[in-house]
Amino acid sequence: MTSASATEDVNRIDRRFAELKAAGRTGLIPFVTAGDPLPPATVALMHALVEAGADLIELGVPFSDPMADGPVIQHASERALARGVGLAKILEWVREFRTRDAATPIVLMGYLNPVEIHGAACFAREAVEAGVDGVLLVDCPIEEIDTAAPLREAGLRQIFLAAPTTTDARLGRVCEAAQGFLYYVSFAGITGADRLSQDDVRTRVGAIKQRARTPVAVGFGVRDAASAAAIGEFADAVVIGSALVERLAAATDADDARARARDFLAPIRAALDARGSGEA
Amino acid sequence: MSSPSVAAAPVAAIDYLHYPDARGRFGDYGGSYVAETLIAPLAELTAAYETLRADPAFVAEFERDLTHYVGRPSPIYHAERLSRQIGGAQILLKREDLNHTGAHKINNTIGQALVARSMGKRRVIAETGAGQHGVATATVCARFGLDCVVYMGATDIERQKINVYRMKLLGAEVVPVTSGSKTLKDALNEAMRDWVTNVADTFYIIGTVAGPHPYPQMVRDFNSVVGREARAQMLGQYGRLPDVITACVGGGSNAIGLFHAFLNDRDVRIVGAEAAGEGIETGHHAASLAAGRPGVLHGNRTYVLCDDDGQITETHSVSAGLDYPGVGPEHAFLKDSGRATYVGVTDEEALAAFHQLARTEGILAALESSHAVAQAMKLARELPEDALVLCNLSGRGDKDVHTIAAREGIAL
């Protein structure tokens, strides 16, 4: 740990969740695939997400073989790759985003191979320098946590998933390893399918929150204001991925992408906040 | 020696028959690089398989099926005319092409279908490239009365119409995959998604020694009958072990099947033949070990073909069964430890071997296996007449006659 990172105080993810908790608000975490729908629109799109109420941004790193993603995000990956989007470009965008926004946490979400080929230590250094706060490597479960050690050592928060199929015994170990926040995927399948049974999710998330030392975000299958508000009743944050990516896919230019993001997120933000103020 | 790297350890110190370790690692390779949602089904499978492999009744049923349904043991055949024509060592062929369905693939699908049945799974899914594993899976599903869904890239479906129809005749549903490069790796991604979504009643039969733990071990175990048989046959027929053994390597299931029983026989040289396609220097190949680098793909750490940004690259081989950008983690381990060497065989060399074997021995080898035959011929040329080269003839070539005719401009 260098003195520079020590003086840069807490990680943005930790700080943001502390703020949310203090304000009694539910976090809103949109996911977009970096470089999709249009590479030049990415930074503007990220700012638009924040303006529409995002508390944290998950930026998808496209991969050629996204085994754990559904067709919507896979197609977004393919579109981005076809336009030459890669890790170096993505870090450049994060750096550019940071010139105007020093507070909103950014989590890169993707698969191990690009990080491995880049070199985990080298990637970690560059990511921290660019202003990335956390990394969710979909194909790096806690069993393979050593692989990602350089990321944690560099100060990045490693986000882990918990699933309905995660056993109780294992959940303890996942909670132990979790940094930043724990990401509960609310059904057993891949991203983007409609399999949300809200009562099951509520029960399960309740159990996880009792054991987790980090906040718990719930995602996968959250599509609109109503489903987000329902999840927001018990989750610390709500993640919206496929539904947003689908909405953005047809954008014609950067302005259109920003407008689509705002139109989609604003009612969700309002629904989450209405719930919060209603209770207060 | 203080280095933890297996490459730095003396070869003699490694007991190759004791891999993988409890975490599914072969040295630095293998493991379980999967999303959280797959951990539970993989743990369930690992537990079931660990119990079954130690269960004498399970082993006996597997062996009974290998004998009476697959037609084992497959013979070792001395290709005398071919050896004479080459003018070097004697080439011996392990005739996996004579198995039911015409390739080694059935050894594994029988085994996994038995595991599926004992786990109470009624639905089986599989991915396939050339269609051989799909056919072998559809075959055992018909035999055991299991529902069968096979994922296949749309491009491969177009290239392998006969195998697609064969699967349908056997009662399987073939689902075209239109994502990515529309080939084997995309079919594998899609099958993985199906499994995650339908895991309660579904068993995923992976066709090669790749994927997350326990697949590389389980698929190897079921195919390792090839090497065990061959080792005993060599001792019985020739009174000694071969000097060199060779097999083609795509994912590497037939190769590890032959190699495994010989791994601790240090005097037996082991050579894997990868698809060098149009030549490794052209970039149009599928030689993950010869030209790739360590990475993570499809749930395991292994050698992969990818660009500098870590994106998996498209591969090329005249044989669809070798057209895969990764390779089984145990092969990666054998390469790094120096126990086996892996070399490239081009499309042209494989096709030449196909023709030469057909004309001298009356055997049409699969294009995949023709890579091994080409490598066996190269090895034989360098060795004295009394040396023995054992080559795994992993499948028959009937499925490839259209491909060969098309390449040679012949309309059938």
Side-chain angles (χ1 to χ4, degrees):
Chain A
M1 191 64 71
T2 65
S3 58
S5 59
T7 52
E8 259 174 43
D9 63 59
V10 288
N11 182 287
R12 288 185 196 91
I13 300 171
D14 302 340
R15 189 164 54 211
R16 177 53 50 91
F17 274 103
E19 289 163 4
L20 286 167
K21 189 174 183 190
R25 297 175 77 218
T26 303
L28 175 57
I29 306 180
F31 167 98
V32 290
T33 298
D36 183 70
L38 305 157
T42 300
V43 175
L45 182 60
M46 290 166 73
H47 288 302
L49 293 172
V50 174
E51 284 153 23
D55 294 301
L56 183 155
I57 295 174
E58 270 189 11
L59 205 51
V61 178
F63 182 50
S64 51
D65 293 75
M67 239 168 47
D69 285 300
V72 170
I73 289 172
Q74 178 172 27
H75 290 146
S77 263
E78 286 173 5
R79 286 191 296 266
L81 288 174
R83 290 169 172 139
V85 174
L87 265 183
K89 189 79 216 166
I90 293 167
L91 294 181
E92 222 172 273
W93 286 329
V94 173
R95 216 171 286 127
E96 190 186 334
F97 173 81
R98 279 279 171 253
T99 60
R100 273 185 52 201
D101 186 330
T104 307
I106 294 175
V107 170
L108 296 187
M109 181 168 175
Y111 293 77
L112 258 174
N113 203 53
V115 172
E116 288 274 297
I117 297 303
H118 211 76
C122 170
F123 161 77
R125 208 167 44 242
E126 290 175 17
V128 168
E129 182 271 321
V132 173
D133 307 289
V135 174
L136 197 172
L137 295 167
V138 180
D139 53 355
C140 183
I142 54 169
E143 282 75 7
E144 310 293 353
I145 192 168
D146 293 352
T147 308
L151 309 188
R152 299 160 74 102
E153 283 157 15
L156 294 168
R157 295 285 179 265
Q158 189 176 5
I159 315 300
F160 284 101
L161 299 167
T165 49
T166 305
T167 60
D168 279 348
R170 184 182 163 76
L171 185 61
R173 292 190 290 135
V174 174
C175 289
E176 192 74 23
Q179 294 185 313
F181 61 95
L182 192 64
Y183 187 170
Y184 181 70
V185 295
S186 56
F187 68 99
I190 40 144
T191 57
D194 302 305
R195 291 227 175 169
L196 205 57
S197 158
Q198 209 202 309
D199 287 344
D200 292 350
V201 180
R202 177 196 295 271
T203 309
R204 188 71 172 154
V205 171
I208 294 173
K209 283 176 81 172
Q210 288 192 338
R211 303 176 71 170
R213 295 176 303 187
T214 56
V216 178
V218 177
F220 288 27
V222 183
R223 303 200 62 81
D224 50 25
S227 55
I231 297 293
E233 281 180 30
F234 49 84
D236 296 310
V238 173
V239 183
I240 302 202
S242 302
L244 172 60
V245 170
E246 203 165 27
R247 183 67 66 98
L248 293 173
T252 49
D253 56 29
D255 284 343
D256 186 27
R258 287 163 56 198
R260 283 167 181 264
R262 273 197 304 267
D263 292 349
F264 182 74
L265 276 196
I268 294 170
R269 176 79 266 171
L272 289 175
D273 289 346
R275 191 198 60 77
S277 60
E279 275 178 5
Chain B
M1 209 164 286
S2 62
S3 167
S5 159
V6 79
V11 169
I14 300 173
D15 178 358
Y16 286 98
L17 303 186
H18 278 82
Y19 289 87
D21 65 16
R23 298 167 65 200
R25 299 280 183 100
F26 303 87
D28 293 336
Y29 301 100
S32 261
Y33 293 90
V34 295
E36 181 65 25
T37 44
L38 273 175
I39 294 287
L42 285 168
E44 183 195 6
L45 173 60
T46 303
Y49 178 60
E50 282 305 314
T51 307
L52 289 171
R53 70 195 291 252
D55 176 359
F58 176 83
V59 174
E61 184 169 15
F62 177 54
E63 285 174 357
R64 215 161 37 239
D65 273 339
L66 289 182
T67 304
H68 300 289
Y69 189 65
V70 176
R72 303 206 70 92
S74 67
I76 284 184
Y77 168 73
H78 181 194
E80 268 185 277
R81 294 193 69 228
L82 178 66
S83 303
R84 250 201 319 277
Q85 213 170 66
I86 301 294
Q90 303 309 304
I91 297 174
L92 311 174
L93 303 174
K94 178 63 172 163
R95 297 291 306 276
E96 289 298 294
D97 61 317
L98 297 178
N99 292 338
H100 178 44
T101 71
H104 73 288
K105 293 281 185 194
I106 190 107
N107 301 319
N108 169 49
T109 57
I110 286 268
Q112 289 199 52
L114 287 170
V115 176
R117 200 187 58 182
S118 84
M119 289 175 76
K121 310 282 185 184
R122 301 295 312 155
R123 178 174 177 267
V124 160
I125 56 168
E127 84 295 336
T128 197
Q132 292 305 100
H133 173 58
V135 169
T137 303
T139 299
V140 298
C141 287
R143 157 119 164 68
F144 290 107
L146 302 165
D147 293 339
C148 182
V149 176
V150 178
Y151 288 93
M152 191 167 180
T155 303
D156 289 335
I157 286 183
E158 201 48 45
R159 289 194 287 200
Q160 305 286 340
K161 285 180 185 145
I162 291 178
N163 271 344
V164 173
Y165 185 55
R166 200 172 277 159
M167 286 184 263
K168 288 179 180 165
L169 288 174
L170 291 161
E173 180 193 346
V174 179
V175 180
V177 175
T178 54
S179 56
S181 57
K182 305 183 177 65
T183 58
L184 176 61
K185 72 181 180 71
D186 309 288
L188 206 152
N189 292 335
E190 206 60 40
M192 209 56 100
R193 291 190 187 114
D194 179 312
W195 195 36
V196 171
T197 314
N198 301 299
V199 69
D201 69 338
T202 298
F203 189 96
Y204 180 15
I205 297 189
I206 291 185
T208 192
V209 285
H213 181 63
Y215 282 102
Q217 176 187 7
M218 183 168 64
V219 177
R220 176 202 69 196
D221 290 350
F222 290 138
N223 273 311
S224 63
V225 63
V226 177
R228 278 198 310 278
E229 240 175 53
R231 198 173 180 284
Q233 287 166 320
M234 288 302 302
L235 293 172
Q237 288 172 236
Y238 297 90
R240 69 180 185 95
L241 297 179
D243 298 283
V244 194
I245 59 176
T246 190
C248 63
V249 180
S253 68
N254 91 83
I256 209 72
L258 176 67
F259 296 170
H260 195 252
F262 293 94
L263 289 178
N264 281 345
D265 297 316
R266 311 288 160 162
D267 294 337
V268 177
R269 234 175 101 195
I270 299 178
V271 182
E274 290 193 295
E278 294 166 8
I280 287 178
E281 69 288 351
T282 66
H284 299 142
H285 61 82
S288 316
L289 290 163
R293 43 186 154 181
V296 174
L297 177 66
H298 292 147
N300 65 104
R301 177 182 300 282
T302 187
Y303 279 77
V304 300
L305 291 170
C306 65
D307 63 20
D308 290 340
D309 199 46
Q311 308 299 337
I312 304 303
T313 45
E314 293 198 8
T315 51
H316 165 82
S317 169
V318 67
S319 71
L322 301 183
D323 212 347
Y324 179 65
V327 64
E330 192 162 9
H331 288 293
F333 170 60
L334 295 177
K335 172 191 159 84
D336 281 12
S337 75
R339 180 62 190 99
T341 50
Y342 296 86
V343 296
V345 171
T346 63
D347 289 351
E348 290 305 322
E349 291 171 322
L351 286 160
F354 171 89
H355 286 300
Q356 196 168 351
L357 183 68
R359 293 204 195 111
T360 56
E361 300 290 350
I363 296 171
L364 297 181
L367 282 177
E368 290 79 9
S369 319
S370 297
H371 287 71
V373 174
Q375 185 56 34
M377 287 161 51
K378 282 190 205 174
L379 290 162
R381 268 185 212 108
E382 299 160 4
L383 292 166
E385 222 169 281
D386 60 350
L388 301 176
V389 176
L390 176 63
C391 169
N392 199 13
L393 197 73
S394 55
R396 69 177 184 224
D398 308 52
K399 70 181 176 64
D400 294 317
V401 295
H402 283 87
T403 306
I404 291 161
R407 265 186 85 98
E408 294 175 355
I410 296 161
L412 296 180

